[in-house]
Amino acid sequence: MADDSAGSRPAHDRGAGPPAAELKHDAIGFLDALVIGINSTSPAYSLAAVIGPIVALVAVYAPGVVLASFVPMLLIASAFYYLDRVDQDCGTTFSWVTRAMGPWAGWFGGWAIMMTGVLVVGSLADVAVGFGLLTVGLDGWAENDAVRQTLAVLLILVMTAICVIGTEASAHVQNALILAQVACLLVFAGVALYRVYAGTGSLDAVEPSFSWLNPFGEGGAALTGGLLLGVFMYWGWESAVNLTEEVKGSGASAPGRAGIWSTVVLVVTYLSVGIAVVAYAGPAYLAENAAEEEFIFAQLATEALGGWDWLVLLAVSTSALASTQTTIIPASRTALSMARRGALPAPLARINPRFRTPDISTWGVAVVAIAWYLVVNQISENALFDSLTALSLLIAFYYALTGVACAVYYRRHLTESLRNLLLIGVGPLVGAGLLFWLLVESVGDMADPANSYSGTSWFGLGPPLVIGIFIVLVGILVLAAQRLAGGPFWRERRGVADPVLVPGAHRGPGPGEEG
């Protein structure tokens, strides 16, 4: 495949002329992209959902596991940054892996990204609605499945409409939500730590210690389980890079920088609040209430803040609300990228001529996500949690694939400088290796039905693994249908990075080297 990454815009924008409608270039700035990347991880919700289970596994060493989970994320963020420099395509992993490793691997990378959106959007909306109702004192509505699910579906539709109306509108909503979320989290952390040192806490408080940052404190098996949860905490930061065609300064890799900085902001936030939670509640209390998942924050808010507990409830609600919207972005942009290359049905490539956003792919992701949410809820509430557990398989897969693609795509330039070797080659490969290891560990863990939320066997396996296998099988069927339809996409060959765009490289011949 002749490498056509010589420009700052994706390949479909060059050549015979621009298409009838394009994504709106320079729609948002670096800070907007950074906020979207942070909000996509749903910080408050992610903390609430996993801090209890992590403490149950590793006790006071939970902050160390949170820090250790950051390492593969930072290494993969480096891969996103350098790949975005040479191929600024909203399909990110799909486009990059296709260029580096061929269309089959690229297709499955894109499919994994789309399916993460389908699996998680309904759950995020459910949490946003539930905590929102608790915030305003409507506990009865929050406990009513019909009311909560109806409101969750309406919320998804509203957030999808905002995504379609425009990237600027999405960014404005995200900026407001991140301010409310971070402010609430900092108030909680500050009050909790003050009461720990003042000795006025109502639980078995423990003063923080530097030893808590040791991820190996409880041994290898506990660390593995904690890292799996940690990967979920950080997942989503790359939404900033999915907006690469719509961010100002794309030629200077502003989206890639936003992705890296979002992981840094996240690790600081997670460590600060995580230490405060463990210190105030104590490991025994958190371990006993680990099964409460996100509602552990509601309990701690009441204990630490008293009548101001609504602040933490609001933080979790706005966190899930923001992520409901931002999680649609990578799925819809990936679908758009795949469709315009001929890897998915052509209608998904339609861009609204007025709003210049991918309206059909955006609404398509939302409709499938709503259907998944409603169907799985009919099975059981635990089945919905099992579908979230299956996320770790997809996340680890496409992140690891991106890390490998970075080293492969830059393979002829890795020895040109020490920076290239470490940041573009070794780092992403180490990150990919860690994630592939976690993927294998996840499969083994999910095979046991006892490790699932449902605690039941589906075809002799745990429900999360069955859900993961189901997604792969559906993907194979869709891929087969597209392959039979033919098209130039399936004849693309592996390429290498354009030497002109390689950091620190000498100005070599133009693009077009073939692997």
Side-chain angles (χ1 to χ4, degrees), residues 413-438:
H413 307 286
L414 296 181
T415 58
E416 291 175 354
S417 70
L418 182 62
R419 180 179 67 174
N420 285 8
L421 179 63
L422 296 179
L423 299 183
I424 305 178
V426 175
L429 285 177
V430 170
L434 290 171
L435 289 169
F436 275 129
W437 168 63
L438 289 174

Side-chain angles (χ1 to χ4, degrees), residues 50-71:
V50 305
I51 193 65
I54 289 180
V55 172
L57 286 170
V58 298
V60 295
Y61 302 105
V65 169
V66 170
L67 185 61
S69 302
F70 167 69
V71 174

Side-chain angles (χ1 to χ4, degrees), residues 32 63 208 233 421:
D32 295 319
M233 290 178 69
L421 179 63

Side-chain angles (χ1 to χ4, degrees), residues 338-420:
M338 294 178 74
R340 69 189 181 192
R341 294 271 285 272
L344 282 179
L348 293 173
R350 180 184 185 273
I351 295 177
N352 187 289
R354 177 184 176 187
F355 301 119
R356 294 171 68 182
T357 55
D359 52 358
I360 292 182
S361 62
T362 302
W363 284 112
V365 169
V367 169
V368 177
I370 288 172
W372 179 269
Y373 166 68
L374 293 177
V375 169
V376 173
N377 257 311
Q378 294 306 307
I379 299 174
S380 73
E381 184 179 8
N382 284 334
L384 183 64
F385 288 130
D386 284 330
S387 72
L388 290 180
T389 303
L391 271 177
S392 63
L393 298 175
L394 302 178
I395 296 168
F397 172 72
Y398 81 80
Y399 275 173
L401 203 60
T402 306
V404 173
C406 183
V408 172
Y409 198 45
Y410 276 96
R411 60 189 178 275
R412 296 187 181 178
H413 307 286
L414 296 181
T415 58
E416 291 175 354
S417 70
L418 182 62
R419 180 179 67 174
N420 285 8

Side-chain angles (χ1 to χ4, degrees), residues 87-269:
D87 182 13
Q88 286 157 13
D89 187 294
C90 66
T92 60
T93 294
F94 158 72
S95 180
W96 302 332
V97 175
T98 297
R99 292 181 185 278
M101 303 166 68
W104 294 78
W107 195 95
F108 273 109
W111 179 254
I113 294 176
M114 288 193 299
M115 290 302 101
T116 55
V118 168
L119 290 182
V120 79
V121 165
S123 177
L124 289 168
D126 189 280
V127 170
V129 168
F131 272 80
L133 293 173
L134 291 175
T135 302
V136 296
L138 297 175
D139 296 27
W141 285 24
E143 295 171 2
N144 187 306
D145 290 342
V147 171
R148 195 181 64 254
Q149 291 172 26
T150 300
L151 292 176
V153 170
L154 291 175
L155 177 61
I156 294 172
L157 295 176
V158 170
M159 287 302 180
T160 304
I162 293 175
C163 288
V164 170
I165 288 172
T167 307
E168 299 103 318
S170 299
H172 294 329
V173 172
Q174 293 301 316
N175 290 341
L177 292 175
I178 193 66
L179 288 175
Q181 182 182 162
V182 171
C184 293
L185 285 176
L186 291 178
V187 168
F188 169 75
V191 172
L193 287 174
Y194 170 79
R195 295 191 63 182
V196 167
Y197 286 105
T200 59
S202 56
L203 300 174
D204 296 327
V206 180
E207 289 193 6
S209 167
F210 280 109
S211 64
W212 291 7
L213 298 179
N214 175 19
F216 303 101
E218 286 292 317
L223 174 62
T224 301
L227 287 174
L228 290 173
L229 294 168
V231 168
F232 172 78
M233 290 178 69
Y234 288 101
W235 167 68
W237 52 265
E238 80 279 6
S239 292
V241 189
N242 285 102
L243 295 170
T244 186
E245 298 176 36
E246 300 156 86
V247 177
K248 297 174 185 176
S250 290
S253 291
R257 288 188 291 112
I260 290 178
W261 276 107
S262 64
T263 63
V264 175
V265 172
L266 285 170
V267 72
V268 173
T269 303

Side-chain angles (χ1 to χ4, degrees), residues 44 47 135 176-192 269 273 297 301 305 308-319:
L47 272 168
T135 302
L177 292 175
I178 193 66
L179 288 175
Q181 182 182 162
V182 171
C184 293
L185 285 176
L186 291 178
V187 168
F188 169 75
V191 172
T269 303
V273 180
F297 256 23
L305 303 178
W308 291 88
D309 58 345
W310 60 269
L311 282 172
V312 173
L313 298 177
L314 180 63
V316 177
S317 179
T318 55
S319 176

Side-chain angles (χ1 to χ4, degrees), residues 267-285:
V267 72
V268 173
T269 303
Y270 286 161
L271 280 178
S272 300
V273 180
I275 290 173
V277 167
V278 175
Y280 184 83
Y285 178 88

